[in-house]
Amino acid sequence: MRLTNYYLLLLTLIILSSCNAQKENNVVSLKDSFKNDFCIGTALSANQIEEKNEKEDSLIKKEFNAITAENIMKSMFLHPAKDKYDFAMADKFIAYGEKNKMFIHGHTLIWHSQLASWMAEIKDSIEMKNFMKDHITTIVSKYKGRIDSWDVVNEALNEDGTLRKSVFFNTLGEQYLVDAFKLAAAADPKVDLYYNDYNNEEPAKRQGNINLIKKIKAGGGKIDGVGIQAHWRLESPSIETIEESILAYSALGLKVAFTELDITVLPNPWDLKGADVNQNFEGNAKMNPYQEKLPDSVQVKLANRYASIFKLFLKHKDKISRVTFWGVHDGQSWLNDWPIKGRTNYPLLFNSNLKPKKAYQSVMKLKETNE
Ligand code: G3I
């Protein structure tokens, strides 16, 4: 009898340890766990597109089924001079996505930032119209049928919901928005077209975004989705605010994508009331508190925050097309250099050694308990 109990115990231990081993080896993955819900994407750096680091590459292929180029498809790289396009890196990016059967998102056609210097100098409406036609038509046609969705216009709104006085607005007025979506649809009628912005879950900017979508539609433009970038913080925005936005955008008949998700855990210089605006925060240890390691207490906060966000995403999975993280692992995040250079931030699900964090487990756990 004793011996039987011993064998039973041993058997149970073997089974349990093999389950844990599976988990530790990460046999399960984000993309498989959420495969019936929405795409799980990541932004790729130039090195990742070129598969320079074998470990990063296998992590990307295992965990993600959608990709966005973090930088190489922005105007200054794709269209460096008026009569010159450079598609070398973008071609590699598309080939990477096709080889790995991933959803491929194009970022971005019309954006006031990361423009080539010659574009920023366009002052005349005819020249700007010609630029937009050539730029959008050339790029979208080149990848027709190979890119699944495009950010047609990026960050056209101010925080109060008014239109940003960008080089496009200053030369063409608000009509540039309609034109951009029309040109993209003419070049590839089947590709999904998105408007993408940050903080557009916040009420004032959201209302501006809704007006903008209505303008594009009223002007005869085709728009399929809205991208909420989701560069968020531990405490904000609230889950209610995010939910209201999902509902408001999808009520317009649009798909909602979370396109650049990350969560900063570091202090924000703009929150320091009374701080001298000219103060230099670089090299200030208080602003970079977790240089060595993220304390467990914050690791847990981050895990809980990610869990509540993904819980909401699952609740509205019928409205959400894609959730993309802005980078594969903490080591590559733009948040290590913004808004203060040279900090150590921890905004993603994988740490800089490519190991899954508590936040990864908390997101995955939602699916274990869900099914
Ligand atoms: O390529 C140069 C490199 O040659 C040089 O050695 C290095 C020195 O700093 O700079 C490199 O360029 C940097 C580039 O990223 C590539 O790494 C730029 O300085 C840096 O400003 C640029 O930042 C990018 C930023 O967009 C520019 O606006 C970030 O990587 C990228 O994550 C970020 O992404 C944006 C989205 O496109 C739109 N939404 C907001 C999001 C975060 O800002």
Side-chain angles (χ1 to χ4, degrees), residues 232-245:
W232 288 337
R233 296 149 299 277
L234 284 174
E235 317 292 345
S236 64
S238 70
I239 294 299
E240 293 71 31
T241 300
I242 304 170
E243 181 163 37
E244 283 161 18
S245 302

Side-chain angles (χ1 to χ4, degrees), residues 70-71 74 107 111 113-114 154-155 229 231 260 326 334 341:
E70 185 178 3
N71 281 300
K74 294 173 180 174
H107 176 75
W111 187 28
S113 187
Q114 285 184 291
N154 196 41
E155 301 174 8
Q229 291 184 7
H231 294 295
E260 307 183 9
W326 205 236
W334 71 293
K341 266 198 180 300

Side-chain angles (χ1 to χ4, degrees), residues 81-288:
K82 192 169 179 189
D83 299 316
K84 185 178 172 227
Y85 285 90
D86 182 351
F87 289 117
M89 278 306 293
D91 285 350
K92 288 186 187 177
F93 168 73
I94 308 288
Y96 184 94
E98 288 179 341
K99 183 174 79 176
N100 296 302
K101 300 189 171 40
M102 291 164 161
F103 181 98
I104 303 174
H105 180 70
H107 176 75
T108 172
L109 293 168
I110 298 295
W111 187 28
H112 64 277
S113 187
Q114 285 184 291
L115 289 173
S117 52
W118 69 273
M119 294 174 188
E121 279 154 24
I122 299 176
K123 297 232 159 38
D124 165 62
S125 66
I126 297 185
E127 214 191 325
M128 182 56 87
K129 270 201 164 173
N130 290 340
F131 157 73
M132 286 209 357
K133 182 158 193 217
D134 179 58
H135 184 77
I136 295 177
T137 312
T138 306
I139 298 170
V140 178
S141 313
K142 157 113 180 138
Y143 296 118
K144 181 178 176 182
R146 299 177 70 197
I147 281 196
D148 299 287
S149 60
W150 271 109
D151 285 335
V152 179
V153 179
N154 196 41
E155 301 174 8
L157 291 163
N158 294 315
E159 297 308 285
D160 65 358
T162 57
L163 286 174
R164 186 193 287 274
K165 303 283 181 285
S166 65
V167 64
F168 311 109
F169 182 88
N170 291 341
T171 47
L172 296 174
E174 63 182 38
Q175 182 61 29
Y176 90 86
L177 297 160
V178 179
D179 291 350
F181 279 84
K182 279 188 174 171
L183 287 164
D188 186 352
K190 289 196 187 143
V191 70
D192 269 0
L193 304 179
Y194 278 72
Y195 173 78
N196 189 50
D197 214 327
Y198 58 85
N199 292 350
N200 53 345
E201 69 281 352
E202 294 296 340
K205 200 161 180 180
R206 183 204 304 150
Q207 191 50 53
N209 203 149
I210 290 171
N211 299 343
L212 179 153
I213 292 161
K214 288 183 176 166
K215 255 176 227 157
I216 292 167
K217 286 187 168 186
K222 173 178 108 83
I223 174 164
D224 304 285
V226 63
I228 297 177
Q229 291 184 7
H231 294 295
W232 288 337
R233 296 149 299 277
L234 284 174
E235 317 292 345
S236 64
S238 70
I239 294 299
E240 293 71 31
T241 300
I242 304 170
E243 181 163 37
E244 283 161 18
S245 302
I246 297 173
L247 295 171
Y249 291 130
S250 87
L252 299 173
L254 297 193
K255 298 175 188 173
V256 180
F258 291 88
T259 54
E260 307 183 9
L261 177 58
D262 50 24
I263 297 170
T264 180
V265 301
L266 295 184
N268 182 343
W270 299 302
D271 287 343
L272 295 183
K273 304 250 160 53
D276 179 352
V277 279
N278 295 316
Q279 192 174 339
N280 183 2
F281 290 105
E282 263 137 61
N284 179 335
K286 269 198 193 147
M287 299 308 283
N288 191 15

